[in-house]
Amino acid sequence: MRLVRFGERGQEKPGLIDKDNVLRDLSGEIDDLRGEHLSRAGLARIRALDPKSLPKADPSHRLGVPVAGITNFLAIGRNYAEHAAETGSDVPTEPLIFNKAISSLNGPHDDIGIPKGATAVDWEVELAIVIGERALNVSEGEALDFVAGFALCNDVSEREWQKNRGGQWTKGKSAPTFGPLGPWLVTADEIGDVQALDLWLDHNGERRQTGSTRDMIFGVAKLVSYISDFMALQPGDVITTGTPPGVGAGMKPPQYLKGGDRLALGGTRLGEQRARVLGGEG
């Protein structure tokens, strides 16, 4: 299933995209895409519905973040060896975990803003994991049972703040609009081999990133299991899993976002995001 939330910011309704790419309204069946509705049993109940029995919704509606009630927005750094190399960083021996502020979450086609004082805002196309059930100390073999599905994420980053403001990555990852997520949550049963998904990103119409999740240093099952050793993951928690090479910081000279720029990014079965950049030099 491809599950979405549509409507104005703060007033989104749950929905799904049917096999004919028609937007259907789920709000008569569930209150939102959160909590128990993301569990195996909850998704099975949604899956059992006949999509044609659900009201059609206007396809011009804005799409919001596809999951509600997110309590943790976690991210993994340097999870592709070529990306580590392009930024002059060592390849980690264990997953490098940091937080993005919940307030950075953004709809998949919403504008991305350059914050006051920012000079090095960069792009990062990534696969994001959405947790479906509480996970604590789960084994790698059972980890995928706790995953509701996957989404496309742009881990927007301010490199100067990330690297040179005390070494605390959260500072460079958490500005408002720095966490575009979606357009949809695609359930795990429809994603196929999660370690064989292509990812791409275009900046102003030029291809910058081309990669595959097969090149992850730490795969999805490993990440969920590993993180669950340190915290209890909750339904709706998001883990964005790192970016392939091709970021602006890796270019010579580095190239960063400015007002008026356009980004387009996508992935196999993950859909596409298209956003314009506001602020900065524009």
Side-chain angles (χ1 to χ4, degrees), residues 68-97:
I70 297 170
T71 56
N72 274 310
F73 192 2
L74 303 170
I76 306 299
R78 302 181 201 157
N79 199 25
Y80 290 75
E82 288 187 39
H83 172 59
E86 73 175 345
T87 58
S89 304
D90 294 333
V91 174
T93 56
E94 294 189 39
L96 194 164
I97 305 169

Short mmCIF file of all heavy atoms in Angstrom, two decimals, residues 68-97:
data_model
loop_
_atom_site.label_atom_id
_atom_site.label_comp_id
_atom_site.label_asym_id
_atom_site.label_seq_id
_atom_site.Cartn_x
_atom_site.Cartn_y
_atom_site.Cartn_z
N ALA A 68 1.77 10.49 11.12
CA ALA A 68 1.46 11.43 12.19
C ALA A 68 2.04 10.93 13.50
O ALA A 68 2.34 9.75 13.67
CB ALA A 68 -0.06 11.59 12.33
N GLY A 69 2.18 11.84 14.46
CA GLY A 69 2.59 11.46 15.80
C GLY A 69 4.01 10.96 15.92
O GLY A 69 4.32 10.14 16.78
N ILE A 70 4.89 11.44 15.05
CA ILE A 70 6.30 11.03 15.10
C ILE A 70 6.93 11.56 16.38
O ILE A 70 6.87 12.76 16.66
CB ILE A 70 7.06 11.54 13.87
CG1 ILE A 70 6.47 10.92 12.59
CG2 ILE A 70 8.55 11.23 13.98
CD1 ILE A 70 6.99 11.54 11.31
N THR A 71 7.53 10.67 17.16
CA THR A 71 8.18 11.09 18.41
C THR A 71 9.69 11.11 18.32
O THR A 71 10.35 11.79 19.11
CB THR A 71 7.75 10.18 19.57
OG1 THR A 71 8.04 8.82 19.25
CG2 THR A 71 6.26 10.31 19.86
N ASN A 72 10.26 10.34 17.39
CA ASN A 72 11.70 10.34 17.17
C ASN A 72 11.97 10.45 15.68
O ASN A 72 11.39 9.71 14.88
CB ASN A 72 12.34 9.03 17.68
CG ASN A 72 12.68 9.09 19.15
OD1 ASN A 72 13.32 10.03 19.63
ND2 ASN A 72 12.25 8.08 19.89
N PHE A 73 12.85 11.38 15.32
CA PHE A 73 13.30 11.53 13.94
C PHE A 73 14.82 11.31 14.00
O PHE A 73 15.58 12.21 14.30
CB PHE A 73 12.95 12.92 13.43
CG PHE A 73 13.12 13.11 11.93
CD1 PHE A 73 13.52 12.09 11.08
CD2 PHE A 73 12.87 14.37 11.38
CE1 PHE A 73 13.67 12.30 9.72
CE2 PHE A 73 13.02 14.59 10.01
CZ PHE A 73 13.41 13.56 9.19
N LEU A 74 15.21 10.05 13.78
CA LEU A 74 16.61 9.66 13.90
C LEU A 74 17.25 9.59 12.53
O LEU A 74 16.58 9.40 11.53
CB LEU A 74 16.71 8.29 14.58
CG LEU A 74 16.07 8.17 15.96
CD1 LEU A 74 16.04 6.72 16.41
CD2 LEU A 74 16.82 9.02 16.98
N ALA A 75 18.57 9.72 12.50
CA ALA A 75 19.29 9.69 11.24
C ALA A 75 20.62 8.98 11.42
O ALA A 75 21.18 8.93 12.52
CB ALA A 75 19.51 11.10 10.72
N ILE A 76 21.10 8.44 10.32
CA ILE A 76 22.36 7.70 10.32
C ILE A 76 23.36 8.44 9.42
O ILE A 76 23.04 8.79 8.28
CB ILE A 76 22.15 6.26 9.78
CG1 ILE A 76 21.04 5.55 10.56
CG2 ILE A 76 23.46 5.48 9.84
CD1 ILE A 76 21.31 5.40 12.04
N GLY A 77 24.55 8.66 9.96
CA GLY A 77 25.58 9.36 9.21
C GLY A 77 26.57 8.41 8.57
O GLY A 77 26.84 7.32 9.07
N ARG A 78 27.11 8.84 7.42
CA ARG A 78 28.20 8.12 6.74
C ARG A 78 27.88 6.64 6.53
O ARG A 78 28.69 5.77 6.81
CB ARG A 78 29.50 8.24 7.53
CG ARG A 78 29.99 9.65 7.78
CD ARG A 78 31.30 9.62 8.54
NE ARG A 78 31.55 10.86 9.23
CZ ARG A 78 32.34 10.99 10.29
NH1 ARG A 78 32.94 9.91 10.79
NH2 ARG A 78 32.52 12.16 10.86
N ASN A 79 26.70 6.37 6.01
CA ASN A 79 26.30 4.97 5.84
C ASN A 79 26.56 4.46 4.43
O ASN A 79 26.15 3.36 4.08
CB ASN A 79 24.82 4.79 6.20
CG ASN A 79 24.47 3.34 6.50
OD1 ASN A 79 25.33 2.54 6.87
ND2 ASN A 79 23.21 2.99 6.31
N TYR A 80 27.22 5.26 3.61
CA TYR A 80 27.68 4.85 2.29
C TYR A 80 29.16 5.21 2.22
O TYR A 80 29.53 6.38 2.44
CB TYR A 80 26.92 5.57 1.19
CG TYR A 80 25.48 5.17 1.03
CD1 TYR A 80 24.51 5.59 1.95
CD2 TYR A 80 25.07 4.38 -0.03
CE1 TYR A 80 23.18 5.24 1.80
CE2 TYR A 80 23.73 4.02 -0.19
CZ TYR A 80 22.80 4.45 0.73
OH TYR A 80 21.47 4.10 0.58
N ALA A 81 30.01 4.25 1.90
CA ALA A 81 31.46 4.48 1.93
C ALA A 81 31.88 5.60 0.99
O ALA A 81 32.75 6.42 1.33
CB ALA A 81 32.19 3.18 1.59
N GLU A 82 31.27 5.67 -0.20
CA GLU A 82 31.66 6.71 -1.16
C GLU A 82 31.29 8.10 -0.66
O GLU A 82 31.98 9.07 -0.95
CB GLU A 82 31.03 6.44 -2.52
CG GLU A 82 31.65 5.26 -3.26
CD GLU A 82 31.11 5.15 -4.68
OE1 GLU A 82 30.92 6.19 -5.33
OE2 GLU A 82 30.86 4.01 -5.12
N HIS A 83 30.18 8.20 0.08
CA HIS A 83 29.81 9.50 0.65
C HIS A 83 30.80 9.90 1.74
O HIS A 83 31.20 11.06 1.83
CB HIS A 83 28.39 9.46 1.20
CG HIS A 83 28.01 10.69 1.97
ND1 HIS A 83 28.03 11.95 1.43
CD2 HIS A 83 27.63 10.85 3.28
CE1 HIS A 83 27.65 12.83 2.35
NE2 HIS A 83 27.41 12.19 3.47
N ALA A 84 31.18 8.95 2.59
CA ALA A 84 32.19 9.25 3.60
C ALA A 84 33.47 9.75 2.95
O ALA A 84 34.08 10.73 3.40
CB ALA A 84 32.46 8.02 4.46
N ALA A 85 33.86 9.09 1.87
CA ALA A 85 35.10 9.48 1.18
C ALA A 85 35.01 10.87 0.59
O ALA A 85 35.97 11.66 0.67
CB ALA A 85 35.42 8.45 0.11
N GLU A 86 33.86 11.22 -0.03
CA GLU A 86 33.77 12.52 -0.69
C GLU A 86 33.80 13.68 0.31
O GLU A 86 34.14 14.81 -0.05
CB GLU A 86 32.49 12.60 -1.55
CG GLU A 86 31.20 12.72 -0.79
CD GLU A 86 29.98 12.90 -1.69
OE1 GLU A 86 30.16 13.21 -2.88
OE2 GLU A 86 28.85 12.72 -1.19
N THR A 87 33.43 13.40 1.55
CA THR A 87 33.47 14.44 2.58
C THR A 87 34.71 14.35 3.46
O THR A 87 34.82 15.05 4.46
CB THR A 87 32.21 14.37 3.46
OG1 THR A 87 32.11 13.07 4.06
CG2 THR A 87 30.96 14.64 2.64
N GLY A 88 35.65 13.47 3.09
CA GLY A 88 36.90 13.35 3.83
C GLY A 88 36.73 12.75 5.20
O GLY A 88 37.50 13.05 6.12
N SER A 89 35.75 11.85 5.36
CA SER A 89 35.44 11.27 6.66
C SER A 89 35.79 9.79 6.68
O SER A 89 35.80 9.12 5.64
CB SER A 89 33.95 11.44 6.98
OG SER A 89 33.57 12.79 6.93
N ASP A 90 36.05 9.28 7.88
CA ASP A 90 36.30 7.86 8.05
C ASP A 90 34.99 7.07 7.91
O ASP A 90 33.91 7.57 8.23
CB ASP A 90 36.90 7.58 9.42
CG ASP A 90 38.28 8.19 9.58
OD1 ASP A 90 38.98 8.36 8.56
OD2 ASP A 90 38.67 8.51 10.73
N VAL A 91 35.09 5.84 7.45
CA VAL A 91 33.95 4.94 7.41
C VAL A 91 33.69 4.43 8.83
O VAL A 91 34.61 3.92 9.48
CB VAL A 91 34.21 3.77 6.46
CG1 VAL A 91 33.08 2.74 6.53
CG2 VAL A 91 34.37 4.27 5.03
N PRO A 92 32.48 4.57 9.36
CA PRO A 92 32.22 4.16 10.75
C PRO A 92 32.26 2.65 10.92
O PRO A 92 31.92 1.89 10.00
CB PRO A 92 30.82 4.72 11.03
CG PRO A 92 30.19 4.84 9.68
CD PRO A 92 31.29 5.17 8.73
N THR A 93 32.66 2.22 12.10
CA THR A 93 32.66 0.79 12.42
C THR A 93 31.36 0.37 13.10
O THR A 93 31.06 -0.82 13.20
CB THR A 93 33.84 0.45 13.33
OG1 THR A 93 33.78 1.26 14.51
CG2 THR A 93 35.16 0.72 12.62
N GLU A 94 30.59 1.34 13.60
CA GLU A 94 29.24 1.12 14.11
C GLU A 94 28.36 2.23 13.57
O GLU A 94 28.86 3.31 13.21
CB GLU A 94 29.21 1.16 15.65
CG GLU A 94 29.96 0.03 16.32
CD GLU A 94 29.71 -0.01 17.83
OE1 GLU A 94 28.57 0.25 18.26
OE2 GLU A 94 30.67 -0.28 18.56
N PRO A 95 27.05 2.02 13.47
CA PRO A 95 26.18 3.08 12.98
C PRO A 95 26.34 4.38 13.77
O PRO A 95 26.37 4.36 15.01
CB PRO A 95 24.77 2.49 13.16
CG PRO A 95 24.99 1.01 13.03
CD PRO A 95 26.31 0.75 13.70
N LEU A 96 26.46 5.47 13.04
CA LEU A 96 26.59 6.80 13.63
C LEU A 96 25.20 7.41 13.68
O LEU A 96 24.61 7.71 12.65
CB LEU A 96 27.54 7.64 12.77
CG LEU A 96 28.10 8.94 13.33
CD1 LEU A 96 29.30 9.38 12.48
CD2 LEU A 96 27.07 10.04 13.38
N ILE A 97 24.65 7.59 14.88
CA ILE A 97 23.26 8.02 15.06
C ILE A 97 23.21 9.47 15.53
O ILE A 97 23.97 9.87 16.42
CB ILE A 97 22.55 7.13 16.12
CG1 ILE A 97 22.67 5.65 15.75
CG2 ILE A 97 21.09 7.53 16.26
CD1 ILE A 97 22.23 4.71 16.86
#
